[in-house]
Amino acid sequence: NISVTEVNAPDLTISGVDLTQSGAVVESGSYVLNRDRLDLSVSSRNLGTDVLDDFSMLVYLSRDRELDAGDTLIRTYVEDQGAEFLSGNSSVNGFSIDLPESLEAGAYYVIAQIDSEDAIAEFSELNNTYASASAAVTIVRLADLVVSDFSAQPGYYLVNDATDTRN
Protein backbone atom coordinates (compact mmCIF):
# COMPACT_ATOMS: atom_id res chain seq x y z
CA ASN A 1 0.00 0.00 0.00
CA ILE A 2 1.13 3.48 -0.82
CA SER A 3 -0.18 6.35 1.25
CA VAL A 4 -0.27 9.86 -0.21
CA THR A 5 -0.63 12.88 2.04
CA GLU A 6 -1.47 16.28 0.60
CA VAL A 7 0.92 19.03 1.67
CA ASN A 8 -1.47 21.73 2.80
CA ALA A 9 0.89 24.05 4.68
CA PRO A 10 4.32 25.63 4.19
CA ASP A 11 7.26 23.31 4.84
CA LEU A 12 10.55 25.15 5.31
CA THR A 13 13.79 23.20 5.27
CA ILE A 14 17.53 23.83 5.21
CA SER A 15 18.99 21.91 2.29
CA GLY A 16 22.65 22.71 2.87
CA VAL A 17 25.37 24.84 4.40
CA ASP A 18 28.53 25.60 2.41
CA LEU A 19 31.74 27.22 3.63
CA THR A 20 33.12 29.68 1.11
CA GLN A 21 36.49 31.35 0.61
CA SER A 22 36.87 34.03 -2.06
CA GLY A 23 33.48 33.02 -3.43
CA ALA A 24 34.37 29.34 -3.94
CA VAL A 25 32.87 26.48 -1.93
CA VAL A 26 35.43 24.70 0.28
CA GLU A 27 35.16 21.46 2.28
CA SER A 28 36.65 22.85 5.49
CA GLY A 29 38.51 25.83 6.86
CA SER A 30 40.69 27.04 9.68
CA TYR A 31 39.80 30.38 11.25
CA VAL A 32 41.85 32.55 13.61
CA LEU A 33 39.81 34.50 16.16
CA ASN A 34 40.04 38.31 15.96
CA ARG A 35 41.39 38.03 12.40
CA ASP A 36 39.32 35.83 10.09
CA ARG A 37 35.65 35.99 9.19
CA LEU A 38 33.63 32.82 8.62
CA ASP A 39 32.05 33.03 5.17
CA LEU A 40 29.23 30.61 4.45
CA SER A 41 26.03 30.21 2.52
CA VAL A 42 22.83 28.59 3.78
CA SER A 43 20.42 27.06 1.26
CA SER A 44 16.76 26.81 2.20
CA ARG A 45 13.64 25.65 0.42
CA ASN A 46 9.89 25.79 0.83
CA LEU A 47 8.58 22.27 0.16
CA GLY A 48 4.99 23.21 1.00
CA THR A 49 2.51 25.97 0.28
CA ASP A 50 3.33 29.69 0.05
CA VAL A 51 4.81 31.46 3.11
CA LEU A 52 3.10 34.74 3.94
CA ASP A 53 4.92 35.67 7.16
CA ASP A 54 8.46 36.51 8.25
CA PHE A 55 10.64 33.81 9.79
CA SER A 56 14.16 33.54 11.13
CA MET A 57 17.24 31.53 10.31
CA LEU A 58 19.87 30.83 12.98
CA VAL A 59 23.43 29.56 12.45
CA TYR A 60 25.43 27.86 15.20
CA LEU A 61 28.84 26.30 15.75
CA SER A 62 28.67 23.03 17.67
CA ARG A 63 31.11 20.39 18.94
CA ASP A 64 28.66 17.70 17.73
CA ARG A 65 25.83 17.37 15.20
CA GLU A 66 23.06 17.93 17.78
CA LEU A 67 21.59 21.38 18.39
CA ASP A 68 21.54 22.05 22.13
CA ALA A 69 22.10 24.78 24.73
CA GLY A 70 25.90 24.29 24.62
CA ASP A 71 26.14 25.44 21.00
CA THR A 72 27.30 28.94 20.04
CA LEU A 73 24.89 31.12 18.05
CA ILE A 74 26.95 32.99 15.45
CA ARG A 75 24.26 34.52 13.19
CA THR A 76 20.59 35.44 13.34
CA TYR A 77 18.84 36.35 10.12
CA VAL A 78 15.21 37.39 9.66
CA GLU A 79 13.72 36.48 6.30
CA ASP A 80 11.12 39.08 5.40
CA GLN A 81 10.24 37.91 1.90
CA GLY A 82 6.68 37.17 2.94
CA ALA A 83 4.68 35.98 -0.05
CA GLU A 84 7.82 35.90 -2.23
CA PHE A 85 8.90 32.60 -0.62
CA LEU A 86 6.43 30.66 -2.69
CA SER A 87 5.81 26.94 -2.84
CA GLY A 88 8.82 25.14 -4.32
CA ASN A 89 11.09 28.18 -4.21
CA SER A 90 14.67 28.03 -2.94
CA SER A 91 16.80 30.69 -1.33
CA VAL A 92 20.55 30.99 -0.72
CA ASN A 93 21.71 33.41 1.95
CA GLY A 94 25.38 34.32 2.20
CA PHE A 95 26.91 35.45 5.48
CA SER A 96 30.32 36.81 6.49
CA ILE A 97 30.50 36.33 10.25
CA ASP A 98 32.81 37.76 12.90
CA LEU A 99 33.43 34.87 15.26
CA PRO A 100 32.79 35.46 18.97
CA GLU A 101 35.93 35.69 21.12
CA SER A 102 34.42 33.23 23.59
CA LEU A 103 34.91 30.27 21.21
CA GLU A 104 37.32 27.60 22.38
CA ALA A 105 39.95 26.33 19.97
CA GLY A 106 38.98 23.13 18.16
CA ALA A 107 36.77 21.58 15.50
CA TYR A 108 33.11 22.55 15.05
CA TYR A 109 30.08 21.47 13.04
CA VAL A 110 27.90 24.13 11.42
CA ILE A 111 24.21 23.87 12.31
CA ALA A 112 21.51 25.97 10.66
CA GLN A 113 17.90 26.18 11.78
CA ILE A 114 15.02 27.77 9.92
CA ASP A 115 11.83 29.06 11.59
CA SER A 116 13.39 28.52 15.01
CA GLU A 117 10.56 30.36 16.78
CA ASP A 118 7.90 28.27 15.01
CA ALA A 119 6.37 31.43 13.54
CA ILE A 120 5.18 29.46 10.51
CA ALA A 121 2.63 26.67 10.99
CA GLU A 122 4.36 24.02 8.89
CA PHE A 123 3.48 20.68 7.40
CA SER A 124 6.52 19.24 9.22
CA GLU A 125 8.72 20.85 11.87
CA LEU A 126 11.12 17.88 11.77
CA ASN A 127 13.16 19.13 8.79
CA ASN A 128 13.98 22.64 10.06
CA THR A 129 17.50 21.88 11.33
CA TYR A 130 20.57 20.98 9.26
CA ALA A 131 24.00 19.94 10.58
CA SER A 132 27.16 19.66 8.50
CA ALA A 133 28.31 16.08 7.91
CA SER A 134 31.76 16.76 9.37
CA ALA A 135 33.39 19.18 11.79
CA ALA A 136 34.35 21.50 8.95
CA VAL A 137 35.33 24.60 10.94
CA THR A 138 38.55 24.64 12.96
CA ILE A 139 38.97 27.54 15.38
CA VAL A 140 42.53 28.66 16.13
CA ARG A 141 43.28 30.86 19.12
CA LEU A 142 46.55 32.76 18.97
CA ALA A 143 48.37 33.74 22.13
CA ASP A 144 47.32 37.14 23.48
CA LEU A 145 50.74 38.53 24.27
CA VAL A 146 50.96 41.51 26.62
CA VAL A 147 54.16 43.35 27.56
CA SER A 148 54.25 43.36 31.34
CA ASP A 149 57.64 44.96 31.86
CA PHE A 150 60.21 46.79 29.78
CA SER A 151 63.58 48.23 30.67
CA ALA A 152 66.29 49.74 28.53
CA GLN A 153 69.88 48.72 29.17
CA PRO A 154 72.89 50.96 28.54
CA GLY A 155 74.70 50.07 25.34
CA TYR A 156 71.58 48.94 23.51
CA TYR A 157 69.90 51.25 21.01
CA LEU A 158 66.60 51.21 19.21
CA VAL A 159 66.76 51.35 15.42
CA ASN A 160 65.81 54.79 14.14
CA ASP A 161 65.77 56.11 17.70
CA ALA A 162 66.21 59.90 17.79
CA THR A 163 68.56 59.51 20.76
CA ASP A 164 70.93 57.23 18.80
CA THR A 165 73.91 59.48 18.07
CA ARG A 166 76.21 56.83 16.53
CA ASN A 167 75.78 58.26 12.99
Side-chain angles (χ1 to χ4, degrees), residues 32-35 101-103 140-148:
V32 176
L33 290 180
N34 297 324
R35 185 187 76 187
E101 290 184 36
S102 61
L103 282 173
V140 177
R141 295 186 70 87
L142 297 179
D144 187 11
L145 303 177
V146 177
V147 176
S148 61

Side-chain angles (χ1 to χ4, degrees), residues 89-112:
N89 280 4
S90 297
S91 176
V92 177
N93 298 95
F95 305 112
S96 186
I97 302 168
D98 283 321
L99 298 169
E101 290 184 36
S102 61
L103 282 173
E104 299 285 327
Y108 289 86
Y109 293 84
V110 179
I111 298 178

Side-chain angles (χ1 to χ4, degrees), residues 24-50:
V25 174
V26 295
E27 292 297 315
S28 62
S30 189
Y31 303 89
V32 176
L33 290 180
N34 297 324
R35 185 187 76 187
D36 299 332
R37 296 174 68 86
L38 175 62
D39 294 333
L40 55 84
S41 62
V42 178
S43 301
S44 58
R45 187 162 184 201
N46 180 4
L47 302 174
T49 62
D50 296 350

Side-chain angles (χ1 to χ4, degrees), residues 55-76:
F55 56 90
S56 65
M57 183 182 306
L58 305 178
V59 181
Y60 298 85
L61 289 181
S62 176
R63 294 293 193 157
D64 56 37
R65 296 190 73 224
E66 300 297 321
L67 180 60
D68 56 43
D71 298 335
T72 302
L73 177 64
I74 58 170
R75 183 72 160 104
T76 300

Side-chain angles (χ1 to χ4, degrees), residues 153-166:
Q153 298 178 358
Y156 289 83
Y157 300 95
L158 298 175
V159 177
N160 297 325
D161 185 359
T163 62
D164 185 354
T165 58
R166 294 181 289 173

